[in-house]
Amino acid sequence: MSDKKWPETWQEINPGCMVFRPGSSAEYHTGSWRAKRPLWDKVKCIKCGLCYIYCPEGCITEDADGFFEANLNYCKGCGICAKECWTGAIAMADEEE
Amino acid sequence: MGKRIGIEVAIAAAEAAALCRFEVAAVYPITPQSHVAEHLSDIVNDGRVDASFITVEGEHSALSAAIGASGTGARVITATSSQGLLYMSEVMPIASGMRVPIVMIVANRAVSSPINIWNDHSDIMPMRDTGWITFFSENGQEAVDMVIQAYKVAEHRDVMLPVDVMMDGFQLTHMVEPLFMPDQEEVDRFLPPYVPYATLHPDNPVSMGTLAMPDIFAEAQKSKDAALVNSLTVIKEVWKEWEELFGRKYEPVQTYLTEDADVAMVTMGSMGETAEVAVDELRRQGIKAGLIKIKLWRPFPFEDLKKAVKGIRVVAVMDRAVSFGGPGGPVFSEIRSALYDEPARPAVVNFIIGLGGRDIQVVDFVDMMKKAAAGKLAEPYEFYGVRG
């Protein structure tokens, strides 16, 4: 029963791909296939928190000053935050930019 | 050594599972497997094993429940046939991918449409790539023995894969045959209690059937393939041990009079017994005939097959299934491909016979062998005996 973090080779795969460390799925960085990322304009942002409420990934967090930001390890770039932001403070920028 | 009794084979197969002290049976009845399902239910009802019988609403649920039960560390039995097996097809790779040592009895039957409840191998052939170890029994004795052997193979720490045991529908399932039922004591000696690799238990959490993203999925599949390929060693060891304990010999490829043979047939399942009589008849007529019986379909015993065909001029493969629009029957294409790189390979020809319970008699095998020996077969594969 390997407690290795990540198998490098097929020989290291646990039988049946069993995982013996609970909670390890939090380590999947599901944002890796994102095509667009949200960018906040702090001038337009009124700190209402709608982006935080609507984010289906739960990956938006509030910073110390009350502004919001996305954890890009999990943000899939769906754009719901930008759509729901009624002051237009969030723009979706292409990943390669 | 067990007692020799007359018993219906389907009931005997269920009794074999009871001798293995199964703990969960999740079964949905379907012709011609129903007698297995009914008898497993009786065994649990009568308290003859310490087991739960899960009455599921279909085969998809039967195998799903079997996987869940196996995940908790139980020894599990299920059984099905034909459309039921196809209904399980979504869950079959999950069982092998999760490496749960389930044993399943398959009463082979044709698949629809047209609807047909009789025997051929068209139900298991679409399942050949689902990662299960697949045994083909030839008679009632082999069906009983293979169910018990299946647990020992499946639960071996180097294997941990589900095993399905084929027995031809009606031809075997509904026949009353004289066979040796092993004693409980003998089976206990052969088959130790199941010690799982891991179990679903809150005290020691484990995730089974997890997500694997593109960067690890291929490695996971390679590890499953390696487990299946390497299981051949364990299967041979288990069969050797069986032979020592019970005196009945099992080999992945069993041969009959092939040493000096000019032509040989390849059969799987219950055809083998009739084919043996046909070989005797051909020998009486002066034709050097032989018979090759495939007992292990997955993992395919490539080396054993190559050894078996040495020196033979023509090999006629008898398929009880069709690979529609393909290169001939599934067993044929497998064997042809297995021999392709052999420097001195025999000619391999293909007859598709016995579909949907069509009778195959000794005269049919004799006729086919003569056709194969003379090279007179309709190219590239022939539906033998089809009218028109």
Side-chain angles (χ1 to χ4, degrees), chain B residues 63 76-80 85 88 92 102-106 132 151 163-166:
Chain B
L63 191 52
V76 187
I77 183 82
T78 186
T80 192
L85 185 61
M88 282 181 177
M92 286 191 69
I102 295 164
V103 172
M104 171 154 72
I105 298 165
V106 179
W132 285 52
Y151 280 105
V163 181
D164 46 19
V165 178
M166 302 301 115

Coordinates of all heavy atoms in Angstrom, one line a residue, chain B residues 63 76-80 85 88 92 102-106 132 151 163-166:
Chain B
L63 N -24.2 -7.1 -11.3 CA -22.7 -7.0 -11.2 C -22.3 -5.8 -10.4 O -21.3 -5.8 -9.7 CB -22.2 -6.9 -12.7 CG -20.7 -7.0 -12.8 CD1 -20.2 -8.3 -12.1 CD2 -20.2 -7.1 -14.3
V76 N -17.8 -13.3 -3.6 CA -19.0 -13.0 -4.3 C -19.2 -14.0 -5.5 O -18.3 -14.3 -6.2 CB -19.0 -11.6 -4.8 CG1 -20.4 -11.2 -5.4 CG2 -18.7 -10.6 -3.7
I77 N -20.5 -14.3 -5.7 CA -20.8 -15.1 -6.9 C -21.9 -14.4 -7.7 O -22.8 -13.8 -7.1 CB -21.3 -16.6 -6.5 CG1 -21.6 -17.4 -7.8 CG2 -22.5 -16.6 -5.6 CD1 -20.4 -18.0 -8.5
T78 N -21.9 -14.4 -9.0 CA -23.0 -14.0 -9.8 C -23.0 -14.9 -11.0 O -22.1 -15.7 -11.2 CB -22.9 -12.5 -10.2 OG1 -24.1 -12.1 -10.8 CG2 -21.8 -12.2 -11.1
A79 N -24.1 -14.8 -11.8 CA -24.2 -15.7 -12.9 C -25.2 -15.0 -13.9 O -26.1 -14.2 -13.5 CB -24.8 -17.0 -12.5
T80 N -25.0 -15.2 -15.2 CA -25.8 -14.7 -16.2 C -25.7 -15.4 -17.5 O -25.1 -16.5 -17.6 CB -25.6 -13.1 -16.4 OG1 -26.7 -12.6 -17.1 CG2 -24.3 -12.9 -17.1
L85 N -25.7 -10.8 -20.0 CA -24.3 -10.5 -20.0 C -24.0 -9.2 -20.7 O -23.2 -8.3 -20.3 CB -23.5 -11.6 -20.7 CG -22.0 -11.6 -20.7 CD1 -21.4 -11.5 -19.2 CD2 -21.4 -12.7 -21.4
M88 N -24.7 -6.3 -18.6 CA -23.6 -6.1 -17.7 C -22.4 -5.5 -18.3 O -21.4 -5.1 -17.6 CB -23.1 -7.5 -17.1 CG -24.0 -8.1 -16.1 SD -23.2 -9.7 -15.6 CE -24.3 -10.2 -14.2
M92 N -18.7 -4.6 -16.6 CA -17.6 -5.6 -16.6 C -16.2 -5.0 -16.6 O -15.3 -5.4 -15.8 CB -17.8 -6.5 -17.8 CG -18.9 -7.5 -17.6 SD -19.0 -8.8 -18.7 CE -17.5 -9.8 -18.3
I102 N -14.4 -11.2 -8.3 CA -15.7 -11.8 -8.5 C -15.6 -13.1 -9.3 O -14.8 -13.1 -10.3 CB -16.7 -10.8 -9.1 CG1 -16.8 -9.6 -8.2 CG2 -18.0 -11.4 -9.5 CD1 -17.4 -8.4 -8.9
V103 N -16.5 -14.1 -9.1 CA -16.6 -15.2 -10.0 C -18.0 -15.2 -10.6 O -19.0 -15.0 -9.8 CB -16.3 -16.5 -9.3 CG1 -16.6 -17.7 -10.2 CG2 -14.8 -16.6 -8.9
M104 N -18.1 -15.3 -11.9 CA -19.4 -15.3 -12.6 C -19.5 -16.5 -13.4 O -18.6 -16.9 -14.2 CB -19.5 -14.0 -13.5 CG -20.7 -14.0 -14.4 SD -21.2 -12.4 -14.8 CE -19.9 -11.9 -15.9
I105 N -20.6 -17.2 -13.3 CA -20.9 -18.3 -14.2 C -21.7 -17.8 -15.3 O -22.8 -17.1 -15.2 CB -21.8 -19.4 -13.4 CG1 -21.0 -19.9 -12.2 CG2 -22.2 -20.5 -14.3 CD1 -21.8 -20.7 -11.2
V106 N -21.3 -18.1 -16.5 CA -22.0 -17.7 -17.7 C -22.5 -18.9 -18.5 O -21.8 -19.8 -18.9 CB -21.1 -16.8 -18.7 CG1 -21.9 -16.4 -19.9 CG2 -20.6 -15.6 -18.0
W132 N -11.5 -9.6 -18.1 CA -11.8 -10.7 -17.2 C -11.1 -12.0 -17.7 O -10.9 -12.2 -18.9 CB -13.3 -11.1 -17.3 CG -14.2 -10.1 -16.6 CD1 -14.3 -8.7 -16.7 CD2 -15.2 -10.4 -15.6 NE1 -15.2 -8.2 -15.9 CE2 -15.8 -9.2 -15.2 CE3 -15.7 -11.6 -15.0 CZ2 -16.8 -9.1 -14.3 CZ3 -16.7 -11.6 -14.1 CH2 -17.2 -10.3 -13.7
Y151 N -12.0 -19.1 -8.0 CA -11.8 -18.3 -6.8 C -10.4 -18.2 -6.4 O -9.8 -17.2 -6.0 CB -12.7 -18.8 -5.6 CG -14.1 -18.4 -5.7 CD1 -15.1 -19.2 -6.1 CD2 -14.5 -17.0 -5.4 CE1 -16.4 -18.8 -6.2 CE2 -15.8 -16.6 -5.5 CZ -16.8 -17.5 -5.9 OH -18.1 -17.1 -6.0
V163 N -13.2 -13.5 -12.6 CA -13.1 -14.6 -13.5 C -14.5 -15.0 -13.9 O -15.4 -15.1 -13.1 CB -12.4 -15.9 -12.8 CG1 -12.3 -17.0 -13.7 CG2 -11.0 -15.5 -12.3
D164 N -14.7 -15.3 -15.2 CA -16.0 -15.8 -15.6 C -15.8 -17.3 -16.2 O -14.8 -17.5 -16.9 CB -16.8 -14.9 -16.5 CG -16.0 -14.3 -17.7 OD1 -14.9 -14.8 -18.0 OD2 -16.5 -13.3 -18.2
V165 N -16.7 -18.1 -15.8 CA -16.6 -19.5 -16.1 C -17.8 -19.8 -17.1 O -18.9 -19.6 -16.8 CB -16.8 -20.4 -14.9 CG1 -16.8 -21.9 -15.3 CG2 -15.7 -20.1 -13.9
M166 N -17.4 -20.2 -18.4 CA -18.3 -20.5 -19.4 C -18.9 -21.9 -19.3 O -18.1 -22.8 -19.1 CB -17.7 -20.4 -20.8 CG -17.1 -19.0 -21.1 SD -18.2 -17.7 -21.0 CE -17.5 -16.8 -19.7

